[in-house]
Structure formats: structure tokens, C-alpha cells
Amino acid sequence: AQKITQTQPGMFVQEKEAVTLDCTYDTSDQSYGLFWYKQPSSGEMIFLIYQGSYDEQNATEGRYSLNFQKARKSANLVISASQLGDSAMYFCAMREGRIQGAQKLVFGQGTRLTINP
Amino acid sequence: NAGVMQNPRHLVRRRGQEARLRCSPMKGHSHVYWYRQLPEEGLKFMVYLQKENIIDESGMPKERFSAEFPKEGPSILRIQQVVRGDSAAYFCASSQRPQGVTYNEQFFGPGTRLTVL
């Protein structure tokens, strides 16, 4: 069973518009963490934002915010005022496993975001 | 203030050869994770190591793959007798010692792109 589902293989957005990237997850743990990473064409993985399952408020980091709906098991990334440099692959990931505190990440398939001028 | 370092960045091997990928964690980090990314897919967990210990290797193929993190020196991911299907990007991430269930960010290296001819 897929633990992280990103249903949008690709998205095209006009510059300066807001964009929402979908992510749903599946876990029976009460304590877990959700992450978003950006992977530009150069290939590196850039951490964007984190949401803990017990965090009461939605996480925000600059233009990034995470719309966390626990009952729906969704953790959508919202990028406000998109820029050309936001064009990249975006991955949602969940921390699972606590073997000696191990925090391995499970990744979704990714969404390729293209910002049009 | 170096981040996670991986070398080589690109590695080309012929079928049947061995591939050695190296990862130096961030200063002060004693935990290393290896992930593999096949083309157009998300990252998949392979192995989690502490110094001189393999903690979780549930994502490692049963044959030809091995990993170590010696007391001194970088972590090594070793692939023996490579096949074309091993062509992928291999990412290393490091973190500090996990503290219970709290979030402990994993910092990713730039990855090693392995091409098997």
C-alpha cells in the first residue's frame, strides 16, 4: 500500500499565482512527521517545510505553507506568489519508523511544477 | 561549514564492475541514511547507519549491495557486479542523534549519479 500519494504528476502555473501541491498519506502511527522537498533540475534535495502530527498550527516558511488536515490525512503544500525559480520537482515525504529513533523518510512520486512567465 | 558531501558526483561503470559511493556527513552528525532515486521516481530508503552499526537495512537489496559507516572516515555504499538496473541517483542524508520522537532534520547531500553501461 502506498504510504504517500501525490496525485498530480505535473502542474503548470502562471508566475505570481499561488499553487497547491497535493499530498495524502497513510499511517497508523499517532506520532509522525511530514516533509516537503524541492528538487530542481540540478538534482539536489532542498528541504522546504516540516509538519509534526502533534503541531496544532499549520507550518509556514516564507512563501511556503503546509495545509495540514489530519482527519483527511492530507498535507498539501501551498506556494504563494510563485516565481520562475519555483519550477522543479516537489516531493512529499513522511517520517516513519522508530527503531532506535530511526527517522527514515518515505517519499511520494513527486509533482513536476512548471511556472510560466 | 560544509554540508553533506558525496563523491563522486557522477560515476560510470560497466556491467559486472563494482561501484563505491562515499558520503561524509555534516560535522557533528553521527547518523547516515542512504536513499536511491530511479528516474522519474521519488527517493526510496535503503539503509540507516550509525557509526560502526547498521540499524535498519530493510530497503537494501539482498544481494550485491552493502553499506558501512566506520568509526573513522565516510560512509560507503558498495554495489558489486553492477547491472543496468542499478543506474540511479544515490542520495545520502545525515542527522544528529534522534531524540525520541521529535523531529530531527535530515540534511541531504548532492547525490551520486550512477550510470551502468
Side-chain angles (χ1 to χ4, degrees), chain B residues 22-45:
Chain B
R22 285 176 287 278
C23 168
S24 296
M26 284 182 68
K27 188 175 181 181
H29 286 188
S30 56
H31 296 253
V32 165
Y33 303 77
W34 285 93
Y35 295 85
R36 177 165 65 174
Q37 184 181 31
L38 296 172
E40 300 302 315
E41 293 189 10
L43 279 68
K44 290 198 166 41
F45 168 78

mmCIF file with all atom_site columns, all heavy atoms in Angstrom, chain B residues 22-45:
data_model
loop_
_atom_site.group_PDB
_atom_site.id
_atom_site.type_symbol
_atom_site.label_atom_id
_atom_site.label_alt_id
_atom_site.label_comp_id
_atom_site.label_asym_id
_atom_site.label_entity_id
_atom_site.label_seq_id
_atom_site.pdbx_PDB_ins_code
_atom_site.Cartn_x
_atom_site.Cartn_y
_atom_site.Cartn_z
_atom_site.occupancy
_atom_site.B_iso_or_equiv
_atom_site.pdbx_formal_charge
_atom_site.auth_seq_id
_atom_site.auth_comp_id
_atom_site.auth_asym_id
_atom_site.auth_atom_id
_atom_site.pdbx_PDB_model_num
ATOM 1   N N   . ARG B 1 22 ? 30.641 7.324  -1.744  1.00 0.00 ? 22 ARG B N   1
ATOM 2   C CA  . ARG B 1 22 ? 31.075 7.799  -0.421  1.00 0.00 ? 22 ARG B CA  1
ATOM 3   C C   . ARG B 1 22 ? 30.228 8.964  0.056   1.00 0.00 ? 22 ARG B C   1
ATOM 4   O O   . ARG B 1 22 ? 29.773 9.794  -0.734  1.00 0.00 ? 22 ARG B O   1
ATOM 5   C CB  . ARG B 1 22 ? 32.544 8.227  -0.475  1.00 0.00 ? 22 ARG B CB  1
ATOM 6   C CG  . ARG B 1 22 ? 33.521 7.064  -0.514  1.00 0.00 ? 22 ARG B CG  1
ATOM 7   C CD  . ARG B 1 22 ? 34.957 7.552  -0.664  1.00 0.00 ? 22 ARG B CD  1
ATOM 8   N NE  . ARG B 1 22 ? 35.211 8.036  -2.005  1.00 0.00 ? 22 ARG B NE  1
ATOM 9   C CZ  . ARG B 1 22 ? 35.502 7.272  -3.042  1.00 0.00 ? 22 ARG B CZ  1
ATOM 10  N NH1 . ARG B 1 22 ? 35.573 5.962  -2.895  1.00 0.00 ? 22 ARG B NH1 1
ATOM 11  N NH2 . ARG B 1 22 ? 35.739 7.797  -4.218  1.00 0.00 ? 22 ARG B NH2 1
ATOM 12  N N   . CYS B 1 23 ? 30.044 8.998  1.354   1.00 0.00 ? 23 CYS B N   1
ATOM 13  C CA  . CYS B 1 23 ? 29.233 10.056 1.963   1.00 0.00 ? 23 CYS B CA  1
ATOM 14  C C   . CYS B 1 23 ? 29.892 10.517 3.253   1.00 0.00 ? 23 CYS B C   1
ATOM 15  O O   . CYS B 1 23 ? 30.116 9.712  4.170   1.00 0.00 ? 23 CYS B O   1
ATOM 16  C CB  . CYS B 1 23 ? 27.830 9.537  2.261   1.00 0.00 ? 23 CYS B CB  1
ATOM 17  S SG  . CYS B 1 23 ? 26.853 10.652 3.311   1.00 0.00 ? 23 CYS B SG  1
ATOM 18  N N   . SER B 1 24 ? 30.186 11.806 3.327   1.00 0.00 ? 24 SER B N   1
ATOM 19  C CA  . SER B 1 24 ? 30.699 12.394 4.564   1.00 0.00 ? 24 SER B CA  1
ATOM 20  C C   . SER B 1 24 ? 29.596 13.222 5.188   1.00 0.00 ? 24 SER B C   1
ATOM 21  O O   . SER B 1 24 ? 29.133 14.207 4.582   1.00 0.00 ? 24 SER B O   1
ATOM 22  C CB  . SER B 1 24 ? 31.922 13.266 4.270   1.00 0.00 ? 24 SER B CB  1
ATOM 23  O OG  . SER B 1 24 ? 32.972 12.489 3.760   1.00 0.00 ? 24 SER B OG  1
ATOM 24  N N   . PRO B 1 25 ? 29.122 12.860 6.362   1.00 0.00 ? 25 PRO B N   1
ATOM 25  C CA  . PRO B 1 25 ? 28.008 13.598 6.974   1.00 0.00 ? 25 PRO B CA  1
ATOM 26  C C   . PRO B 1 25 ? 28.442 14.978 7.426   1.00 0.00 ? 25 PRO B C   1
ATOM 27  O O   . PRO B 1 25 ? 29.626 15.305 7.460   1.00 0.00 ? 25 PRO B O   1
ATOM 28  C CB  . PRO B 1 25 ? 27.628 12.722 8.176   1.00 0.00 ? 25 PRO B CB  1
ATOM 29  C CG  . PRO B 1 25 ? 28.877 11.972 8.512   1.00 0.00 ? 25 PRO B CG  1
ATOM 30  C CD  . PRO B 1 25 ? 29.586 11.755 7.204   1.00 0.00 ? 25 PRO B CD  1
ATOM 31  N N   . MET B 1 26 ? 27.460 15.770 7.762   1.00 0.00 ? 26 MET B N   1
ATOM 32  C CA  . MET B 1 26 ? 27.737 17.092 8.316   1.00 0.00 ? 26 MET B CA  1
ATOM 33  C C   . MET B 1 26 ? 28.478 16.938 9.634   1.00 0.00 ? 26 MET B C   1
ATOM 34  O O   . MET B 1 26 ? 28.315 15.946 10.352  1.00 0.00 ? 26 MET B O   1
ATOM 35  C CB  . MET B 1 26 ? 26.437 17.862 8.544   1.00 0.00 ? 26 MET B CB  1
ATOM 36  C CG  . MET B 1 26 ? 25.825 18.418 7.286   1.00 0.00 ? 26 MET B CG  1
ATOM 37  S SD  . MET B 1 26 ? 24.322 19.356 7.611   1.00 0.00 ? 26 MET B SD  1
ATOM 38  C CE  . MET B 1 26 ? 24.993 20.761 8.492   1.00 0.00 ? 26 MET B CE  1
ATOM 39  N N   . LYS B 1 27 ? 29.261 17.936 9.963   1.00 0.00 ? 27 LYS B N   1
ATOM 40  C CA  . LYS B 1 27 ? 30.019 17.924 11.199  1.00 0.00 ? 27 LYS B CA  1
ATOM 41  C C   . LYS B 1 27 ? 29.050 17.789 12.367  1.00 0.00 ? 27 LYS B C   1
ATOM 42  O O   . LYS B 1 27 ? 28.032 18.480 12.446  1.00 0.00 ? 27 LYS B O   1
ATOM 43  C CB  . LYS B 1 27 ? 30.815 19.217 11.321  1.00 0.00 ? 27 LYS B CB  1
ATOM 44  C CG  . LYS B 1 27 ? 31.790 19.220 12.483  1.00 0.00 ? 27 LYS B CG  1
ATOM 45  C CD  . LYS B 1 27 ? 32.637 20.470 12.477  1.00 0.00 ? 27 LYS B CD  1
ATOM 46  C CE  . LYS B 1 27 ? 33.628 20.438 13.623  1.00 0.00 ? 27 LYS B CE  1
ATOM 47  N NZ  . LYS B 1 27 ? 34.466 21.656 13.661  1.00 0.00 ? 27 LYS B NZ  1
ATOM 48  N N   . GLY B 1 28 ? 29.366 16.868 13.252  1.00 0.00 ? 28 GLY B N   1
ATOM 49  C CA  . GLY B 1 28 ? 28.517 16.679 14.420  1.00 0.00 ? 28 GLY B CA  1
ATOM 50  C C   . GLY B 1 28 ? 27.395 15.673 14.210  1.00 0.00 ? 28 GLY B C   1
ATOM 51  O O   . GLY B 1 28 ? 26.684 15.333 15.149  1.00 0.00 ? 28 GLY B O   1
ATOM 52  N N   . HIS B 1 29 ? 27.216 15.212 12.986  1.00 0.00 ? 29 HIS B N   1
ATOM 53  C CA  . HIS B 1 29 ? 26.163 14.230 12.715  1.00 0.00 ? 29 HIS B CA  1
ATOM 54  C C   . HIS B 1 29 ? 26.746 12.821 12.782  1.00 0.00 ? 29 HIS B C   1
ATOM 55  O O   . HIS B 1 29 ? 27.784 12.540 12.191  1.00 0.00 ? 29 HIS B O   1
ATOM 56  C CB  . HIS B 1 29 ? 25.565 14.459 11.318  1.00 0.00 ? 29 HIS B CB  1
ATOM 57  C CG  . HIS B 1 29 ? 24.682 15.650 11.250  1.00 0.00 ? 29 HIS B CG  1
ATOM 58  N ND1 . HIS B 1 29 ? 23.923 15.944 10.139  1.00 0.00 ? 29 HIS B ND1 1
ATOM 59  C CD2 . HIS B 1 29 ? 24.418 16.632 12.149  1.00 0.00 ? 29 HIS B CD2 1
ATOM 60  C CE1 . HIS B 1 29 ? 23.222 17.046 10.359  1.00 0.00 ? 29 HIS B CE1 1
ATOM 61  N NE2 . HIS B 1 29 ? 23.516 17.487 11.580  1.00 0.00 ? 29 HIS B NE2 1
ATOM 62  N N   . SER B 1 30 ? 26.015 11.943 13.466  1.00 0.00 ? 30 SER B N   1
ATOM 63  C CA  . SER B 1 30 ? 26.510 10.577 13.615  1.00 0.00 ? 30 SER B CA  1
ATOM 64  C C   . SER B 1 30 ? 25.583 9.552  12.977  1.00 0.00 ? 30 SER B C   1
ATOM 65  O O   . SER B 1 30 ? 25.760 8.351  13.173  1.00 0.00 ? 30 SER B O   1
ATOM 66  C CB  . SER B 1 30 ? 26.674 10.256 15.108  1.00 0.00 ? 30 SER B CB  1
ATOM 67  O OG  . SER B 1 30 ? 25.446 10.461 15.788  1.00 0.00 ? 30 SER B OG  1
ATOM 68  N N   . HIS B 1 31 ? 24.591 10.035 12.238  1.00 0.00 ? 31 HIS B N   1
ATOM 69  C CA  . HIS B 1 31 ? 23.602 9.145  11.641  1.00 0.00 ? 31 HIS B CA  1
ATOM 70  C C   . HIS B 1 31 ? 23.530 9.407  10.148  1.00 0.00 ? 31 HIS B C   1
ATOM 71  O O   . HIS B 1 31 ? 23.457 10.554 9.713   1.00 0.00 ? 31 HIS B O   1
ATOM 72  C CB  . HIS B 1 31 ? 22.233 9.372  12.288  1.00 0.00 ? 31 HIS B CB  1
ATOM 73  C CG  . HIS B 1 31 ? 22.210 9.016  13.737  1.00 0.00 ? 31 HIS B CG  1
ATOM 74  N ND1 . HIS B 1 31 ? 21.581 7.892  14.212  1.00 0.00 ? 31 HIS B ND1 1
ATOM 75  C CD2 . HIS B 1 31 ? 22.784 9.603  14.807  1.00 0.00 ? 31 HIS B CD2 1
ATOM 76  C CE1 . HIS B 1 31 ? 21.750 7.813  15.515  1.00 0.00 ? 31 HIS B CE1 1
ATOM 77  N NE2 . HIS B 1 31 ? 22.479 8.837  15.905  1.00 0.00 ? 31 HIS B NE2 1
ATOM 78  N N   . VAL B 1 32 ? 23.548 8.337  9.402   1.00 0.00 ? 32 VAL B N   1
ATOM 79  C CA  . VAL B 1 32 ? 23.567 8.442  7.944   1.00 0.00 ? 32 VAL B CA  1
ATOM 80  C C   . VAL B 1 32 ? 22.470 7.563  7.351   1.00 0.00 ? 32 VAL B C   1
ATOM 81  O O   . VAL B 1 32 ? 22.235 6.443  7.806   1.00 0.00 ? 32 VAL B O   1
ATOM 82  C CB  . VAL B 1 32 ? 24.942 8.001  7.387   1.00 0.00 ? 32 VAL B CB  1
ATOM 83  C CG1 . VAL B 1 32 ? 24.873 7.745  5.890   1.00 0.00 ? 32 VAL B CG1 1
ATOM 84  C CG2 . VAL B 1 32 ? 25.992 9.074  7.669   1.00 0.00 ? 32 VAL B CG2 1
ATOM 85  N N   . TYR B 1 33 ? 21.800 8.099  6.361   1.00 0.00 ? 33 TYR B N   1
ATOM 86  C CA  . TYR B 1 33 ? 20.771 7.370  5.622   1.00 0.00 ? 33 TYR B CA  1
ATOM 87  C C   . TYR B 1 33 ? 21.179 7.356  4.155   1.00 0.00 ? 33 TYR B C   1
ATOM 88  O O   . TYR B 1 33 ? 21.644 8.368  3.633   1.00 0.00 ? 33 TYR B O   1
ATOM 89  C CB  . TYR B 1 33 ? 19.411 8.065  5.732   1.00 0.00 ? 33 TYR B CB  1
ATOM 90  C CG  . TYR B 1 33 ? 18.910 8.263  7.146   1.00 0.00 ? 33 TYR B CG  1
ATOM 91  C CD1 . TYR B 1 33 ? 19.421 9.278  7.965   1.00 0.00 ? 33 TYR B CD1 1
ATOM 92  C CD2 . TYR B 1 33 ? 17.902 7.460  7.662   1.00 0.00 ? 33 TYR B CD2 1
ATOM 93  C CE1 . TYR B 1 33 ? 18.951 9.463  9.254   1.00 0.00 ? 33 TYR B CE1 1
ATOM 94  C CE2 . TYR B 1 33 ? 17.424 7.640  8.947   1.00 0.00 ? 33 TYR B CE2 1
ATOM 95  C CZ  . TYR B 1 33 ? 17.954 8.642  9.740   1.00 0.00 ? 33 TYR B CZ  1
ATOM 96  O OH  . TYR B 1 33 ? 17.483 8.825  11.015  1.00 0.00 ? 33 TYR B OH  1
ATOM 97  N N   . TRP B 1 34 ? 20.923 6.246  3.483   1.00 0.00 ? 34 TRP B N   1
ATOM 98  C CA  . TRP B 1 34 ? 21.107 6.163  2.029   1.00 0.00 ? 34 TRP B CA  1
ATOM 99  C C   . TRP B 1 34 ? 19.744 5.948  1.377   1.00 0.00 ? 34 TRP B C   1
ATOM 100 O O   . TRP B 1 34 ? 18.936 5.125  1.840   1.00 0.00 ? 34 TRP B O   1
ATOM 101 C CB  . TRP B 1 34 ? 22.040 5.013  1.652   1.00 0.00 ? 34 TRP B CB  1
ATOM 102 C CG  . TRP B 1 34 ? 23.485 5.270  1.910   1.00 0.00 ? 34 TRP B CG  1
ATOM 103 C CD1 . TRP B 1 34 ? 24.201 4.944  3.027   1.00 0.00 ? 34 TRP B CD1 1
ATOM 104 C CD2 . TRP B 1 34 ? 24.415 5.912  1.026   1.00 0.00 ? 34 TRP B CD2 1
ATOM 105 N NE1 . TRP B 1 34 ? 25.510 5.329  2.893   1.00 0.00 ? 34 TRP B NE1 1
ATOM 106 C CE2 . TRP B 1 34 ? 25.673 5.929  1.670   1.00 0.00 ? 34 TRP B CE2 1
ATOM 107 C CE3 . TRP B 1 34 ? 24.319 6.460  -0.256  1.00 0.00 ? 34 TRP B CE3 1
ATOM 108 C CZ2 . TRP B 1 34 ? 26.819 6.472  1.090   1.00 0.00 ? 34 TRP B CZ2 1
ATOM 109 C CZ3 . TRP B 1 34 ? 25.459 6.994  -0.828  1.00 0.00 ? 34 TRP B CZ3 1
ATOM 110 C CH2 . TRP B 1 34 ? 26.686 7.003  -0.162  1.00 0.00 ? 34 TRP B CH2 1
ATOM 111 N N   . TYR B 1 35 ? 19.526 6.695  0.287   1.00 0.00 ? 35 TYR B N   1
ATOM 112 C CA  . TYR B 1 35 ? 18.304 6.590  -0.498  1.00 0.00 ? 35 TYR B CA  1
ATOM 113 C C   . TYR B 1 35 ? 18.680 6.417  -1.958  1.00 0.00 ? 35 TYR B C   1
ATOM 114 O O   . TYR B 1 35 ? 19.712 6.918  -2.410  1.00 0.00 ? 35 TYR B O   1
ATOM 115 C CB  . TYR B 1 35 ? 17.446 7.859  -0.376  1.00 0.00 ? 35 TYR B CB  1
ATOM 116 C CG  . TYR B 1 35 ? 16.895 8.141  1.006   1.00 0.00 ? 35 TYR B CG  1
ATOM 117 C CD1 . TYR B 1 35 ? 17.659 8.831  1.951   1.00 0.00 ? 35 TYR B CD1 1
ATOM 118 C CD2 . TYR B 1 35 ? 15.609 7.750  1.354   1.00 0.00 ? 35 TYR B CD2 1
ATOM 119 C CE1 . TYR B 1 35 ? 17.153 9.101  3.214   1.00 0.00 ? 35 TYR B CE1 1
ATOM 120 C CE2 . TYR B 1 35 ? 15.088 8.020  2.612   1.00 0.00 ? 35 TYR B CE2 1
ATOM 121 C CZ  . TYR B 1 35 ? 15.874 8.690  3.536   1.00 0.00 ? 35 TYR B CZ  1
ATOM 122 O OH  . TYR B 1 35 ? 15.363 8.960  4.791   1.00 0.00 ? 35 TYR B OH  1
ATOM 123 N N   . ARG B 1 36 ? 17.808 5.761  -2.701  1.00 0.00 ? 36 ARG B N   1
ATOM 124 C CA  . ARG B 1 36 ? 18.014 5.593  -4.145  1.00 0.00 ? 36 ARG B CA  1
ATOM 125 C C   . ARG B 1 36 ? 16.833 6.227  -4.881  1.00 0.00 ? 36 ARG B C   1
ATOM 126 O O   . ARG B 1 36 ? 15.667 6.059  -4.476  1.00 0.00 ? 36 ARG B O   1
ATOM 127 C CB  . ARG B 1 36 ? 18.119 4.107  -4.505  1.00 0.00 ? 36 ARG B CB  1
ATOM 128 C CG  . ARG B 1 36 ? 18.263 3.858  -5.991  1.00 0.00 ? 36 ARG B CG  1
ATOM 129 C CD  . ARG B 1 36 ? 18.720 2.453  -6.295  1.00 0.00 ? 36 ARG B CD  1
ATOM 130 N NE  . ARG B 1 36 ? 17.773 1.429  -5.918  1.00 0.00 ? 36 ARG B NE  1
ATOM 131 C CZ  . ARG B 1 36 ? 17.931 0.139  -6.198  1.00 0.00 ? 36 ARG B CZ  1
ATOM 132 N NH1 . ARG B 1 36 ? 19.010 -0.267 -6.844  1.00 0.00 ? 36 ARG B NH1 1
ATOM 133 N NH2 . ARG B 1 36 ? 17.034 -0.735 -5.816  1.00 0.00 ? 36 ARG B NH2 1
ATOM 134 N N   . GLN B 1 37 ? 17.146 6.913  -5.947  1.00 0.00 ? 37 GLN B N   1
ATOM 135 C CA  . GLN B 1 37 ? 16.118 7.528  -6.779  1.00 0.00 ? 37 GLN B CA  1
ATOM 136 C C   . GLN B 1 37 ? 16.270 7.040  -8.210  1.00 0.00 ? 37 GLN B C   1
ATOM 137 O O   . GLN B 1 37 ? 17.222 7.406  -8.906  1.00 0.00 ? 37 GLN B O   1
ATOM 138 C CB  . GLN B 1 37 ? 16.194 9.054  -6.732  1.00 0.00 ? 37 GLN B CB  1
ATOM 139 C CG  . GLN B 1 37 ? 15.077 9.746  -7.506  1.00 0.00 ? 37 GLN B CG  1
ATOM 140 C CD  . GLN B 1 37 ? 15.180 11.253 -7.472  1.00 0.00 ? 37 GLN B CD  1
ATOM 141 O OE1 . GLN B 1 37 ? 16.263 11.825 -7.397  1.00 0.00 ? 37 GLN B OE1 1
ATOM 142 N NE2 . GLN B 1 37 ? 14.041 11.929 -7.546  1.00 0.00 ? 37 GLN B NE2 1
ATOM 143 N N   . LEU B 1 38 ? 15.311 6.230  -8.634  1.00 0.00 ? 38 LEU B N   1
ATOM 144 C CA  . LEU B 1 38 ? 15.265 5.826  -10.030 1.00 0.00 ? 38 LEU B CA  1
ATOM 145 C C   . LEU B 1 38 ? 14.697 6.968  -10.860 1.00 0.00 ? 38 LEU B C   1
ATOM 146 O O   . LEU B 1 38 ? 14.004 7.840  -10.311 1.00 0.00 ? 38 LEU B O   1
ATOM 147 C CB  . LEU B 1 38 ? 14.415 4.563  -10.174 1.00 0.00 ? 38 LEU B CB  1
ATOM 148 C CG  . LEU B 1 38 ? 14.965 3.317  -9.458  1.00 0.00 ? 38 LEU B CG  1
ATOM 149 C CD1 . LEU B 1 38 ? 13.970 2.183  -9.495  1.00 0.00 ? 38 LEU B CD1 1
ATOM 150 C CD2 . LEU B 1 38 ? 16.291 2.896  -10.074 1.00 0.00 ? 38 LEU B CD2 1
ATOM 151 N N   . PRO B 1 39 ? 14.962 6.998  -12.155 1.00 0.00 ? 39 PRO B N   1
ATOM 152 C CA  . PRO B 1 39 ? 14.481 8.111  -12.993 1.00 0.00 ? 39 PRO B CA  1
ATOM 153 C C   . PRO B 1 39 ? 12.974 8.322  -12.848 1.00 0.00 ? 39 PRO B C   1
ATOM 154 O O   . PRO B 1 39 ? 12.200 7.364  -12.873 1.00 0.00 ? 39 PRO B O   1
ATOM 155 C CB  . PRO B 1 39 ? 14.853 7.660  -14.414 1.00 0.00 ? 39 PRO B CB  1
ATOM 156 C CG  . PRO B 1 39 ? 16.032 6.759  -14.215 1.00 0.00 ? 39 PRO B CG  1
ATOM 157 C CD  . PRO B 1 39 ? 15.786 6.042  -12.921 1.00 0.00 ? 39 PRO B CD  1
ATOM 158 N N   . GLU B 1 40 ? 12.602 9.554  -12.694 1.00 0.00 ? 40 GLU B N   1
ATOM 159 C CA  . GLU B 1 40 ? 11.188 9.962  -12.606 1.00 0.00 ? 40 GLU B CA  1
ATOM 160 C C   . GLU B 1 40 ? 10.449 9.342  -11.418 1.00 0.00 ? 40 GLU B C   1
ATOM 161 O O   . GLU B 1 40 ? 9.233  9.186  -11.446 1.00 0.00 ? 40 GLU B O   1
ATOM 162 C CB  . GLU B 1 40 ? 10.447 9.629  -13.906 1.00 0.00 ? 40 GLU B CB  1
ATOM 163 C CG  . GLU B 1 40 ? 11.028 10.314 -15.136 1.00 0.00 ? 40 GLU B CG  1
ATOM 164 C CD  . GLU B 1 40 ? 11.051 11.827 -15.028 1.00 0.00 ? 40 GLU B CD  1
ATOM 165 O OE1 . GLU B 1 40 ? 10.040 12.410 -14.599 1.00 0.00 ? 40 GLU B OE1 1
ATOM 166 O OE2 . GLU B 1 40 ? 12.096 12.434 -15.354 1.00 0.00 ? 40 GLU B OE2 1
ATOM 167 N N   . GLU B 1 41 ? 11.168 9.000  -10.381 1.00 0.00 ? 41 GLU B N   1
ATOM 168 C CA  . GLU B 1 41 ? 10.530 8.459  -9.181  1.00 0.00 ? 41 GLU B CA  1
ATOM 169 C C   . GLU B 1 41 ? 11.005 9.211  -7.949  1.00 0.00 ? 41 GLU B C   1
ATOM 170 O O   . GLU B 1 41 ? 11.953 9.990  -7.993  1.00 0.00 ? 41 GLU B O   1
ATOM 171 C CB  . GLU B 1 41 ? 10.847 6.969  -9.026  1.00 0.00 ? 41 GLU B CB  1
ATOM 172 C CG  . GLU B 1 41 ? 10.229 6.091  -10.085 1.00 0.00 ? 41 GLU B CG  1
ATOM 173 C CD  . GLU B 1 41 ? 10.386 4.617  -9.758  1.00 0.00 ? 41 GLU B CD  1
ATOM 174 O OE1 . GLU B 1 41 ? 10.801 4.289  -8.630  1.00 0.00 ? 41 GLU B OE1 1
ATOM 175 O OE2 . GLU B 1 41 ? 10.086 3.795  -10.643 1.00 0.00 ? 41 GLU B OE2 1
ATOM 176 N N   . GLY B 1 42 ? 10.302 8.969  -6.835  1.00 0.00 ? 42 GLY B N   1
ATOM 177 C CA  . GLY B 1 42 ? 10.744 9.534  -5.571  1.00 0.00 ? 42 GLY B CA  1
ATOM 178 C C   . GLY B 1 42 ? 11.881 8.722  -4.995  1.00 0.00 ? 42 GLY B C   1
ATOM 179 O O   . GLY B 1 42 ? 12.242 7.665  -5.481  1.00 0.00 ? 42 GLY B O   1
ATOM 180 N N   . LEU B 1 43 ? 12.460 9.264  -3.923  1.00 0.00 ? 43 LEU B N   1
ATOM 181 C CA  . LEU B 1 43 ? 13.557 8.566  -3.268  1.00 0.00 ? 43 LEU B CA  1
ATOM 182 C C   . LEU B 1 43 ? 13.018 7.383  -2.468  1.00 0.00 ? 43 LEU B C   1
ATOM 183 O O   . LEU B 1 43 ? 11.940 7.452  -1.881  1.00 0.00 ? 43 LEU B O   1
ATOM 184 C CB  . LEU B 1 43 ? 14.291 9.516  -2.310  1.00 0.00 ? 43 LEU B CB  1
ATOM 185 C CG  . LEU B 1 43 ? 15.307 10.469 -2.925  1.00 0.00 ? 43 LEU B CG  1
ATOM 186 C CD1 . LEU B 1 43 ? 14.649 11.516 -3.801  1.00 0.00 ? 43 LEU B CD1 1
ATOM 187 C CD2 . LEU B 1 43 ? 16.144 11.134 -1.826  1.00 0.00 ? 43 LEU B CD2 1
ATOM 188 N N   . LYS B 1 44 ? 13.804 6.325  -2.431  1.00 0.00 ? 44 LYS B N   1
ATOM 189 C CA  . LYS B 1 44 ? 13.426 5.145  -1.663  1.00 0.00 ? 44 LYS B CA  1
ATOM 190 C C   . LYS B 1 44 ? 14.543 4.817  -0.666  1.00 0.00 ? 44 LYS B C   1
ATOM 191 O O   . LYS B 1 44 ? 15.703 4.706  -1.046  1.00 0.00 ? 44 LYS B O   1
ATOM 192 C CB  . LYS B 1 44 ? 13.159 3.955  -2.579  1.00 0.00 ? 44 LYS B CB  1
ATOM 193 C CG  . LYS B 1 44 ? 11.882 4.127  -3.384  1.00 0.00 ? 44 LYS B CG  1
ATOM 194 C CD  . LYS B 1 44 ? 11.350 2.865  -3.949  1.00 0.00 ? 44 LYS B CD  1
ATOM 195 C CE  . LYS B 1 44 ? 9.928  2.979  -4.459  1.00 0.00 ? 44 LYS B CE  1
ATOM 196 N NZ  . LYS B 1 44 ? 9.620  4.205  -5.183  1.00 0.00 ? 44 LYS B NZ  1
ATOM 197 N N   . PHE B 1 45 ? 14.140 4.641  0.571   1.00 0.00 ? 45 PHE B N   1
ATOM 198 C CA  . PHE B 1 45 ? 15.067 4.353  1.655   1.00 0.00 ? 45 PHE B CA  1
ATOM 199 C C   . PHE B 1 45 ? 15.786 3.034  1.392   1.00 0.00 ? 45 PHE B C   1
ATOM 200 O O   . PHE B 1 45 ? 15.186 2.045  0.957   1.00 0.00 ? 45 PHE B O   1
ATOM 201 C CB  . PHE B 1 45 ? 14.302 4.269  2.975   1.00 0.00 ? 45 PHE B CB  1
ATOM 202 C CG  . PHE B 1 45 ? 15.098 3.704  4.114   1.00 0.00 ? 45 PHE B CG  1
ATOM 203 C CD1 . PHE B 1 45 ? 16.020 4.481  4.783   1.00 0.00 ? 45 PHE B CD1 1
ATOM 204 C CD2 . PHE B 1 45 ? 14.928 2.387  4.513   1.00 0.00 ? 45 PHE B CD2 1
ATOM 205 C CE1 . PHE B 1 45 ? 16.761 3.964  5.845   1.00 0.00 ? 45 PHE B CE1 1
ATOM 206 C CE2 . PHE B 1 45 ? 15.653 1.853  5.567   1.00 0.00 ? 45 PHE B CE2 1
ATOM 207 C CZ  . PHE B 1 45 ? 16.569 2.642  6.235   1.00 0.00 ? 45 PHE B CZ  1
#
